[in-house]
Amino acid sequence: MLTRNCLSLLLWVLFDGGLLTPLQPQPQQTLATEPTENVIHLPGRRSHFQRVKRGWVWNQFFVLEEYMGSEPQYVGKLHSDLDKGEGTVKYTLSGDGAGTVFTIDETTGDIHAIRSLDREEKPFYTLRAQAVDIETRKPLEPESEFIIKVQDINDNEPKFLDGPYVASVPEMSPVGAYVLQVKATDADDPTYGNSARVVYSILQGQPYFSIDPKTGVIRTALPNMDREVKEQYQVLIQAKDMGGQLGGLAGTTIVNITLTDVNDNPPRFPKSIFHLKVPESSPIGSAIGRIRAVDPDFGQNAEIEYNIVPGDGGNLFDIVTDEDTQEGVIKLKKPLDFETKKAYTFKVEASNVHLDHRFHSAGPFKDTATVKISVLDVEEPPVFSKPLYTMEVYEDTPVGTIIGAVTAQDLDVGSSAVRYFIDWKSDGDSYFTIDGTEGTIATNELLDRESTAQYNFSIIASKVSNPLLSSKVNILINVLDVNEFPPEISVPYETAVCENAKPGQIIQIVSAADRDLSPAGQQFSFRLSPEAAIKPNFTVRDFRNNTAGIETRRNGYSRRQQELYFLPVVIEDSSYPVQSSTNTMTIRVCRCDSDGTILSCNVEAIFLPVGLSTGALIAILLCIVILLAIVVLYVALRRQKKKDTLMTSKEDIRDNVIHYDDEGGGEEDTQAFDIGALRNPKVIEDNKIRRDIKPDSLCLPRQRPPVEDNTDIRDFINQRLQENDVDPTAPPYDSLATYAYEGNGSVADSLSSIDSLTTEADQDYDYLTDWGPRFKVLADMFGEEDNYNPDKVT
């Protein structure tokens, strides 16, 4: 309406300025169905000094959409003030749809719509009208623009573009809880009538939900809807235009509503007592049974925590929750023994992990059940009295001496006798034996602590009634030391004394070593041997701490008088039986300075022996061997290179040369191709005659051998030819097969035609045709020569 008023004001300004002058005032049109009033006047030219009366000018037509009449729909009429009805004015129409949608009568100016229009496709059309002189074709007035608007009808139903919808609402929600808002759109004109005014309603879903007819908001209509009773709801929503009045068009959509879970149900055990049976042999930590409390809630609201109520058996068992099944898994914390206790009873409590404070008033969200466990008797292997047996035995103990015993018992109700065995896998050397009935362990061989100080093996005890039931225990036997080795002086055994030594001077401190395993607190004593104590030059001072000092007993020593002194030292240990040994110390007299520093002794070393150690000698020998190996390898490589240079290898590929033209000579024919030329071209002899080419027929005359001398040879050759003709393994045609090689000494001479005494003219080659297909080419070649011989008479 505002647009129409603005356009009217603009036209009024134009008319008031004298730009457009109506022929006569026109009343305002209200409906496009009155064609007689839809007239647009096109004013003609007037004098600028003439004032005219203002009139109404229409710039808009209306046409009804979806027109289904048999005749074209009348839209309106164009008329010019210059049109006197004499047929001199022609009206034209251009713009949107001109000629295709709208047509105009050129004489009367009537406008018609020639096809049905859809407002939702195009709501209006902008066209331009022109009045021209029919004779001169010149415009009588300026071009005028106007609009044809398609008037809407209710031809579109509301549509839910986002449907179907999915929504959720918590269970136990109060009445009026928000669920979802739906929206339907109507393609009709919302500014014209009620065609696009939509009203919502529920066709299916009462009395659980309601909807606001204007906004489309869906809310709950019943209180305390329980998910455990019904979880899914399907609501059918209708949207109707024309304000819901009769005759309006409607569209529907489906809303799938799910009640989400809340923790409104406590866990409940399906029964008050659970009975479980557990074998007494069940290992610690194993699952011995499962119980379950039922919670109709879902997800984390159904998570259950199980606890054992303190009481009988609570210390032997534990319970954990299986997160996948929400079951309580009972596990064993301590071993069971049927002979000690046959049954246990305790209570288990199940409670929700996540609580909802809104439902605390309904009561505690927990439940309790009793668990009774019956222990089943299982035939068990014998049980040793100790988990580990430790024994001791002295070395050199006589074979067969009992050093200890093991004991195992069958604790089952019907006890069985026990047999004992040594595990051969752990005591493969059989140092010990065991009595199968009594379990006593005895030595089987002499023991040596210095070789093996400790033995560790296993003993197996099995039932006589069921040998498959056995148990094993470890035996640890420590071999005790027997004082069988005397103590000895630790190195060095040689020391030195200065010529200017004073009496009572300690020249060397010695210690002792004993190969026996000396117990704690063992003491070694040092003294001179009785024969050396008569007139000693040196003596031994025992420090009482397992060491002693060599002490001088005279004032000064002379190398010229005596260079070496031998001092026998007796060492005793404190073990039982007492062992002692006499160790001789070598004392060398040396020249020293005033401070006691040794300056020189004899040529022999004083402290260490002269010479190389064994390791140094082995290293030198290894170096010599390596050098010899390198030299031998070098010489071998040099010889190998010389052989490669001469190419004397029989495997040389250039030896494999096959000639097809050379038939060879006799045994003494050495003038054939020399293969040595391929190996070393320098040894070629220029004066040798080549035998690898066909000789000139005129150079060497041929002599036909007597027929009577060649009979045997010819028969032999024919026999060989026949054998090779029928032999499937014979060589190919390019290979040369030698059937006979008599040499120069043969009566038949050489089979080769080279160096023959006869000429070609005297030679008869007809026999070549009898040698088979292998000699066909040769027979044809020599036969042709005979055919062309001018002396031959046919």
Side-chain angles (χ1 to χ4, degrees):
M1 195 66 184
L2 180 61
T3 304
R4 182 179 297 180
N5 294 335
C6 293
L7 292 175
S8 300
L9 181 60
L10 178 62
L11 292 175
W12 177 81
V13 173
L14 293 175
F15 279 107
D16 186 61
L19 298 178
L20 294 174
T21 303
L23 180 63
Q24 60 184 2
Q26 297 291 334
Q28 185 176 1
Q29 180 186 0
T30 58
L31 295 175
T33 56
E34 301 176 0
T36 57
E37 297 182 2
N38 292 342
V39 179
I40 293 181
H41 289 270
L42 302 178
R45 295 185 179 88
R46 294 181 182 271
S47 173
H48 293 287
F49 300 102
Q50 182 180 2
R51 182 175 179 86
V52 297
K53 183 179 180 180
R54 296 188 180 95
W56 293 104
V57 176
W58 288 22
N59 66 338
Q60 182 171 284
F61 288 150
F62 291 91
V63 60
L64 194 64
E65 73 167 332
E66 303 294 344
Y67 175 75
M68 303 301 294
S70 58
E71 297 294 334
Q73 183 180 3
Y74 178 77
V75 179
K77 183 182 182 64
L78 294 178
H79 184 74
S80 175
D81 294 342
L82 299 179
D83 186 4
K84 304 302 183 179
E86 299 174 353
T88 59
V89 179
K90 178 182 179 181
Y91 298 96
T92 62
L93 192 66
S94 62
D96 292 343
T100 58
V101 179
F102 304 101
T103 60
I104 188 171
D105 191 311
E106 296 180 352
T107 304
T108 63
D110 293 335
I111 301 173
H112 291 82
I114 59 176
R115 67 180 180 87
S116 178
L117 303 179
D118 187 1
R119 188 200 68 85
E120 287 71 35
E121 180 181 350
K122 190 175 181 64
F124 63 90
Y125 297 84
T126 302
L127 295 99
R128 294 181 299 276
Q130 179 73 58
V132 298
D133 188 279
I134 197 171
E135 295 180 356
T136 62
R137 301 294 181 180
K138 293 183 178 181
L140 300 177
E141 294 183 3
E143 189 177 54
S144 178
E145 184 177 89
F146 63 96
I147 295 174
I148 298 178
K149 187 174 182 180
V150 181
Q151 187 173 349
D152 182 52
I153 63 173
N154 189 20
D155 59 341
N156 293 280
E157 72 278 3
K159 294 182 180 180
F160 293 92
L161 301 180
D162 297 330
Y165 296 87
V166 177
S168 62
V169 62
E171 64 173 334
M172 299 297 175
S173 297
V175 176
Y178 176 84
V179 179
L180 179 69
Q181 183 178 13
V182 297
K183 183 176 180 58
T185 58
D186 196 320
D188 292 328
D189 189 0
T191 63
Y192 181 77
N194 295 328
S195 299
R197 190 162 70 90
V198 178
V199 174
Y200 301 94
S201 61
I202 293 181
L203 300 182
Q204 177 185 331
Q206 295 96 348
Y208 305 103
F209 300 96
S210 64
I211 188 170
D212 189 300
K214 295 182 179 180
T215 62
V217 175
I218 302 174
R219 300 181 184 274
T220 58
L222 285 180
N224 300 327
M225 287 190 293
D226 193 355
R227 185 195 68 86
E228 287 72 34
V229 176
K230 186 176 182 180
E231 183 179 5
Q232 299 287 340
Y233 294 87
Q234 190 175 75
V235 180
L236 182 61
I237 304 296
Q238 174 184 291
K240 191 175 184 180
D241 59 11
M242 298 298 293
Q245 297 178 4
L246 186 63
L249 303 179
T252 59
T253 188
I254 293 176
V255 180
N256 294 311
I257 301 175
T258 303
L259 295 183
T260 58
D261 184 61
V262 297
N263 192 8
D264 58 336
N265 295 283
R268 291 288 182 264
F269 284 106
K271 55 184 178 180
S272 59
I273 299 177
F274 291 88
H275 293 275
L276 300 177
K277 294 182 180 181
V278 182
E280 63 174 336
S281 60
S282 299
I284 296 176
S286 62
I288 61 175
R290 288 173 176 258
I291 62 175
R292 182 178 181 181
V294 179
D295 192 333
D297 292 327
F298 178 76
Q300 69 175 10
N301 296 321
E303 293 181 3
I304 302 174
E305 181 180 11
Y306 297 91
N307 294 288
I308 294 179
V309 179
D312 182 25
N315 297 328
L316 275 75
F317 306 96
D318 191 12
I319 188 169
V320 295
T321 302
D322 188 335
E323 295 182 357
D324 296 330
T325 62
Q326 294 301 312
E327 292 178 319
V329 182
I330 301 176
K331 294 186 176 182
L332 190 63
K333 292 172 60 178
K334 296 181 181 180
L336 300 176
D337 188 7
F338 175 80
E339 289 73 23
T340 303
K341 193 171 183 178
K342 299 178 176 57
Y344 296 90
T345 302
F346 55 89
K347 291 185 177 181
V348 175
E349 182 181 79
S351 60
N352 279 137
V353 178
H354 305 281
L355 300 178
D356 195 332
H357 65 278
R358 295 178 298 173
F359 304 100
H360 285 176
S361 59
F365 278 71
K366 62 178 61 177
D367 195 13
T368 304
T370 302
V371 178
K372 291 186 177 182
I373 296 179
S374 299
V375 181
L376 301 178
D377 185 25
V378 177
E379 190 175 4
E380 299 173 305
V383 178
F384 284 96
S385 59
K386 295 180 181 180
L388 174 66
Y389 288 87
T390 303
M391 302 177 186
E392 294 180 348
V393 59
Y394 282 98
E395 61 179 335
D396 297 335
T397 298
V399 176
T401 303
I402 296 176
I403 60 176
V406 296
T407 302
Q409 294 180 352
D410 182 12
L411 301 180
D412 290 331
V413 176
S415 59
S416 172
V418 178
R419 290 290 181 267
Y420 302 95
F421 309 93
I422 293 180
D423 188 3
W424 63 269
K425 296 181 181 178
S426 60
D427 188 26
D429 295 331
S430 301
Y431 284 101
F432 304 93
T433 60
I434 188 170
D435 188 284
T437 304
E438 301 297 332
T440 56
I441 301 174
T443 59
N444 195 36
E445 294 182 11
L446 287 177
L447 305 179
D448 185 11
R449 189 205 62 81
E450 285 70 34
S451 299
T452 305
Q454 189 179 74
Y455 293 89
N456 189 355
F457 57 94
S458 299
I459 290 180
I460 299 173
S462 63
K463 285 184 176 183
V464 176
S465 60
N466 188 359
L468 296 178
L469 292 176
S470 62
S471 57
K472 185 184 295 186
V473 69
N474 288 334
I475 308 297
L476 187 64
I477 298 179
N478 296 316
V479 181
L480 301 180
D481 184 45
V482 175
N483 194 20
E484 55 185 339
F485 295 101
E488 298 177 352
I489 290 180
S490 303
V491 291
Y493 285 90
E494 186 174 319
T495 186
V497 62
C498 295
E499 291 181 318
N500 56 357
K502 304 297 181 182
Q505 183 178 348
I506 302 298
I507 63 173
Q508 180 69 47
I509 295 177
V510 295
S511 61
D514 196 337
R515 284 187 292 169
D516 293 321
L517 180 63
S518 301
Q522 181 177 7
Q523 294 292 326
F524 296 111
S525 61
F526 302 85
R527 71 174 187 274
L528 284 178
S529 62
E531 63 273 11
I534 299 174
K535 293 181 70 174
N537 292 307
F538 301 92
T539 187
V540 177
R541 182 189 299 180
D542 193 348
F543 295 139
R544 306 297 181 183
N545 60 354
N546 292 340
T547 61
I550 308 301
E551 183 180 357
T552 60
R553 294 295 301 273
R554 53 183 287 189
N555 188 6
Y557 298 87
S558 175
R559 285 190 295 171
R560 295 181 180 180
Q561 295 179 358
Q562 187 173 349
E563 182 181 0
L564 297 176
Y565 292 88
F566 299 98
L567 183 66
V569 179
V570 178
I571 306 175
E572 291 183 353
D573 57 19
S574 58
S575 299
Y576 180 84
V578 176
Q579 298 288 344
S580 64
S581 65
T582 300
N583 300 264
T584 302
M585 296 266 316
T586 301
I587 302 175
R588 188 180 301 277
V589 180
C590 299
R591 184 172 63 87
C592 304
D593 58 10
S594 58
D595 296 332
T597 304
I598 297 175
L599 297 178
S600 65
C601 295
N602 56 359
V603 294
E604 297 180 359
I606 296 177
F607 297 100
L608 297 175
V610 178
L612 295 175
S613 62
T614 304
L617 292 175
I618 293 175
I620 292 174
L621 291 176
L622 286 176
C623 293
I624 294 173
V625 171
I626 293 173
L627 290 175
L628 291 176
I630 293 174
V631 172
V632 172
L633 181 62
Y634 176 76
V635 172
L637 291 175
R638 290 293 301 270
R639 291 181 177 179
Q640 184 66 28
K641 289 183 178 179
K642 291 181 179 180
K643 292 181 180 180
D644 294 342
T645 304
L646 293 177
M647 297 182 65
T648 58
S649 174
K650 294 182 179 180
E651 300 299 327
D652 191 352
I653 59 173
R654 288 177 291 181
D655 288 346
N656 300 329
V657 178
I658 298 176
H659 289 281
Y660 309 112
D661 300 332
D662 190 2
E663 293 184 302
E667 293 177 352
E668 297 180 0
D669 184 7
T670 60
Q671 303 302 318
F673 187 84
D674 187 8
I675 197 64
L678 292 178
R679 298 194 186 100
N680 193 354
K682 295 181 180 181
V683 299
I684 299 177
E685 298 180 7
D686 299 316
N687 57 350
K688 288 187 176 181
I689 301 174
R690 293 189 60 183
R691 307 304 304 272
D692 57 344
I693 59 177
K694 182 178 180 181
D696 191 359
S697 59
L698 299 178
C699 295
L700 300 175
R702 300 181 179 177
Q703 182 178 0
R704 185 172 181 177
V707 177
E708 59 275 6
D709 297 336
N710 296 337
T711 303
D712 296 337
I713 301 303
R714 188 171 297 172
D715 293 341
F716 175 77
I717 292 175
N718 289 334
Q719 180 181 357
R720 290 291 183 267
L721 285 173
Q722 185 176 4
E723 291 176 357
N724 280 272
D725 287 341
V726 298
D727 186 6
T729 61
Y733 298 125
D734 291 341
S735 299
L736 176 63
T738 302
Y739 308 111
Y741 200 87
E742 292 292 334
N744 292 335
S746 174
V747 179
D749 293 335
S750 173
L751 295 179
S752 173
S753 61
I754 302 175
D755 290 341
S756 176
L757 298 178
T758 60
T759 61
E760 291 187 11
D762 299 330
Q763 180 67 40
D764 185 8
Y765 299 104
D766 294 339
Y767 61 87
L768 293 177
T769 58
D770 300 331
W771 287 8
R774 299 179 184 272
F775 293 89
K776 183 177 183 303
V777 177
L778 189 63
D780 294 341
M781 180 177 65
F782 284 95
E784 292 177 359
E785 292 180 359
D786 295 341
N787 294 335
Y788 288 100
N789 190 349
D791 297 334
K792 186 177 181 180
V793 180
T794 58

